[in-house]
Amino acid sequence: MDNSNWVIQDPTPGTRILIFRGDTRTFKLSLSHPVKGDAWLRTNIGHAQIARREIIKKVDNDEPPLGRGWFDIPMHRVDEQNFMITLPF
């Protein structure tokens, strides 16, 4: 296995985190080597109402959920190999 190209995400995708209103959480992305480009955090944080509406439309009208609650937030480049963003909840 070639370990020369790796990406480390913190927290690891699929991690369950208990957060309370007023807390903040930092998300980090680390690369094995410098790469040009941008990093984005894809999330549905704060869009529970949209998700609930899509679930109701699926049940009531058999409309497929379209994932309208998901959006991308640009991460800040810390250096040539790291990106970070801190979000309030």
Side-chain angles (χ1 to χ4, degrees), residues 13-62:
T15 301
R16 295 182 187 270
I17 304 167
L18 180 61
I19 295 177
F20 297 94
R21 182 171 49 175
D23 289 350
T24 62
R25 178 65 176 152
T26 299
F27 297 86
K28 299 176 185 176
L29 180 70
S30 299
L31 309 173
S32 61
H33 59 280
V35 177
K36 291 183 181 181
D38 300 316
W40 300 79
L41 175 68
R42 184 152 190 81
T43 183
N44 63 355
I45 294 171
H47 287 100
Q49 183 178 10
I50 296 170
R52 282 192 295 272
R53 214 172 324 157
E54 287 190 345
I55 292 168
I56 292 167
K57 285 183 178 182
K58 171 64 178 163
V59 172
D60 288 349
N61 305 326
D62 199 29

